[in-house]
Amino acid sequence: MALLSRRREEEDDDEDGRHRVQIVVLGDIGRSPRMQYHALSIAKHSGQVDLIGYQDSDLHPGIRAADNINIFPLSTFSDAFKTNNRRLFLVLGPLKVAFQIWSLWSALYLKGRRAHWMLVQNPPSIPTLAVALIVCYLRNARLVIDSHNFGYSILALKLGRGHPLVRVSQLYEQSLCRFAHAHLCVTDAMARTLREDYHITSPVLTLHDRPASTFQYMDSAQRSAFLDKLPESVLAHEDQPYGSEMVDAIKNGKIKLLVSSTSWTPDEDFSLLLDALIEYAEDSRQSVEAILPHLLVIVTGKGPQRAAFETRVADLDARGSLPNVTIKTAYLNSIDDYAKLLGCADLGISLHTSSSGVDLPMKVVDMFGAGLPVIGWGDFEAWPELVKEGSNGMGFKSAAQLKKVLADLFGQDPKVLMKLKRGAMEEGKRRWDHEWDPVAGVLLGLVEQKKEKRRRG
């Protein structure tokens, strides 16, 4: 302890640290766009960034290009120890946490440079918050927790809300959050929860997700050019060799392109989407009054439940249960290609159900950035903060409602969908920099509050 205290005193005099921010993601950095946007914004304002996390997928091009952003990769826990078995999880879970504690400690303290600020993504809260607090104490740094959701609510999806480990996790998270210097959160509803249920007395600031400049509306020429280059692996169908014919059909509106992105985790129920598409397909086969268009549904992302989804889709196709519907899964390594895919689509779909009820899916923000209207699961408190019913999107609470929304948007007056698109384009004008500067920029001392007030005025 004497050695640690002496090192802490020595590092108090390190002035370089006052311009440095450690950003901590106990997850894949490439699949954490909000934390990458934080890094880019800090770097834009001449701050030094050490970005700590797993490197399993491609990073934002700006991260690689920035001279003042350094990547410190975390060691990964072997996939051989991953399991969906609840009993094995209770044994292997603590082993994984112990490994993560050492990995974080090594990256943040033993190898990491002194920083005046540490910005931590939550969840996961175990063991991130505990290690971060210890390092911040020893380094005399200020901890800012950026809450995207609550860790215990995600654990409850696996173990059940009444499980003792879930209650311990909730107590751990609520207790440690009180020691942070400040909090950022993605919704006003989450901010209220932190103040009222977590009894946080330090600053709690809402920093809504906004799209980065990569996500833009595409005109007809840009849309046509990207559709011509859409990878064959996305459009290919086992029984229907689509190619240029499908592309032409998308361009002229005979086929409607729907896109959904996911991490394939339990808080997104894609069986609901399949049930709705089965009903839609049946209606399109029997409908006489309204001719429903063919739907091409592309679900992007990778994760633990993707294989089961693909197996069910193949089974439905084999049984002829999806006439007039084509479903494909894909993973786009390039964020630029993903942004363009959204720009080409007719409709975005969100199946995010919110384990806590107070978080919001960033995928919807990206869709708005591309001028894409969104329909999504809307049965949780924070949904109206982002999606305005009938203006930029629509919500549903069941497979039957989802099918009805699809039929209404594509089978009746096209003016309804055009109205939603105009609303999405308007919402997409609100960008990350305009949201970040007056909130996180001022908090971190990188943006002068007086200047920001003048700019907003």
Side-chain angles (χ1 to χ4, degrees):
M1 286 303 295
L3 178 62
L4 292 176
S5 298
R6 184 163 63 252
R7 180 171 179 176
R8 180 173 185 256
E9 291 172 2
E10 290 171 355
E11 290 184 330
D12 281 348
D13 297 327
D14 181 11
E15 289 299 321
D16 179 65
R18 296 198 173 276
H19 305 285
R20 186 179 303 281
V21 181
Q22 282 186 320
I23 298 180
V24 185
V25 182
L26 190 57
D28 182 9
I29 300 172
R31 295 166 69 186
S32 302
R34 180 177 168 100
M35 304 310 285
Q36 293 186 81
Y37 297 165
H38 277 304
L40 290 169
S41 293
I42 293 167
K44 177 182 175 182
H45 289 285
S46 302
Q48 298 292 321
V49 179
D50 291 341
L51 186 53
I52 299 104
Y54 301 128
Q55 280 191 272
D56 297 329
S57 57
D58 291 345
L59 300 179
H60 189 290
I63 298 289
R64 293 290 189 190
D67 293 333
N68 48 347
I69 299 179
N70 299 289
I71 309 297
F72 290 81
L74 292 173
S75 302
T76 55
F77 193 66
S78 174
D79 288 343
F81 295 99
K82 291 183 178 180
T83 179
N84 290 321
N85 184 291
R86 287 180 60 175
R87 292 184 178 180
L88 282 177
F89 174 78
L90 296 177
V91 176
L92 297 176
L95 293 178
K96 182 178 180 179
V97 169
F99 178 86
Q100 290 173 331
I101 289 173
W102 170 250
S103 181
L104 283 168
W105 176 256
S106 177
L108 295 178
Y109 191 76
L110 299 181
K111 299 176 183 177
R113 292 168 289 187
R114 193 254 173 171
H116 189 59
W117 297 92
M118 184 184 294
L119 179 60
V120 174
Q121 174 182 290
N122 182 51
S125 55
I126 299 174
T128 318
L129 298 185
V131 176
L133 279 168
I134 293 172
V135 172
C136 283
Y137 170 75
L138 295 174
R139 289 280 175 86
N140 197 27
R142 295 177 176 180
L143 175 63
V144 178
I145 299 175
D146 188 22
S147 292
H148 305 182
N149 201 347
F150 297 128
Y152 78 89
S153 70
I154 295 177
L155 183 62
L157 294 175
K158 181 184 287 285
L159 301 178
R161 286 199 172 271
H163 196 282
L165 282 181
V166 174
R167 292 196 291 269
V168 170
S169 175
Q170 183 177 11
L171 180 62
Y172 161 93
E173 190 169 7
Q174 290 179 338
S175 300
L176 268 60
C177 278
R178 295 171 190 160
F179 293 97
H181 175 79
H183 295 261
L184 301 174
C185 46
V186 296
T187 67
D188 292 329
M190 185 175 291
R192 286 194 299 272
T193 300
L194 287 172
R195 295 188 191 101
E196 297 172 8
D197 297 345
Y198 279 43
H199 307 294
I200 303 296
T201 56
S202 54
V204 179
L205 309 172
T206 300
L207 176 60
H208 287 111
D209 284 323
R210 297 296 176 204
S213 58
T214 308
F215 298 91
Q216 297 286 345
Y217 168 73
M218 295 173 67
D219 60 31
S220 57
Q222 293 170 320
R223 184 174 186 261
S224 178
F226 182 75
L227 286 174
D228 287 336
K229 298 178 181 178
L230 199 63
E232 196 63 25
S233 59
V234 175
L235 289 181
H237 190 280
E238 192 171 308
D239 301 317
Q240 301 172 6
Y242 291 116
S244 60
E245 291 183 3
M246 170 170 270
V247 170
D248 290 341
I250 295 172
K251 290 179 182 179
N252 61 35
K254 292 181 179 179
I255 293 179
K256 299 298 183 182
L257 176 57
L258 282 65
V259 176
S260 183
S261 65
T262 178
S263 298
W264 297 105
T265 49
D267 62 346
E268 293 182 291
D269 184 6
F270 274 82
S271 65
L272 185 147
L273 174 62
L274 290 179
D275 290 344
L277 291 175
I278 291 171
E279 291 186 37
Y280 177 93
E282 185 63 25
D283 283 0
S284 66
R285 179 160 46 191
Q286 297 180 359
S287 177
V288 177
E289 296 181 357
I291 300 177
L292 297 175
H294 188 108
L295 301 183
L296 169 61
V297 182
I298 300 178
V299 184
T300 71
K302 59 182 179 180
Q305 298 185 351
R306 175 172 167 173
F309 177 82
E310 291 173 332
T311 299
R312 189 179 175 201
V313 169
D315 180 61
L316 291 171
D317 281 336
R319 291 191 281 119
S321 300
L322 292 172
N324 217 32
V325 175
T326 301
I327 303 173
K328 298 301 297 180
T329 57
Y331 181 73
L332 303 177
N333 285 311
S334 167
I335 189 172
D336 186 56
D337 282 346
Y338 173 61
K340 289 178 179 177
L341 178 62
L342 295 184
C344 288
D346 297 290
L347 188 65
I349 301 177
S350 170
L351 277 300
H352 180 82
T353 56
S354 182
S355 60
S356 64
V358 294
D359 71 312
L360 280 171
M362 191 166 186
K363 71 189 78 175
V364 175
V365 174
D366 295 336
M367 290 172 181
F368 285 159
L372 182 63
V374 178
I375 59 174
W377 180 266
D379 193 20
F380 58 98
E381 180 183 353
W383 177 254
E385 284 191 38
L386 181 61
V387 178
K388 307 301 184 288
E389 188 71 21
S391 176
N392 55 24
M394 299 177 72
F396 54 82
K397 300 179 182 180
S398 66
Q401 287 186 8
L402 172 53
K403 185 273 296 184
K404 184 178 185 305
V405 169
L406 292 173
D408 289 346
L409 292 178
F410 295 131
Q412 295 183 1
D413 189 351
K415 292 180 181 179
V416 178
L417 184 58
M418 289 304 299
K419 178 185 177 182
L420 296 185
K421 188 170 186 65
R422 287 193 298 270
M425 292 174 64
E426 186 64 29
E427 183 68 27
K429 292 178 181 178
R430 303 174 64 184
R431 294 287 164 166
W432 172 260
D433 286 343
H434 299 109
E435 192 79 17
W436 191 90
D437 285 2
V439 180
V442 170
L443 173 67
L444 298 176
L446 296 170
V447 176
E448 291 185 26
Q449 193 165 16
K450 290 182 180 180
K451 286 185 178 181
E452 186 55 39
K453 283 183 177 179
R454 286 199 300 269
R455 194 183 81 175
R456 297 177 79 189

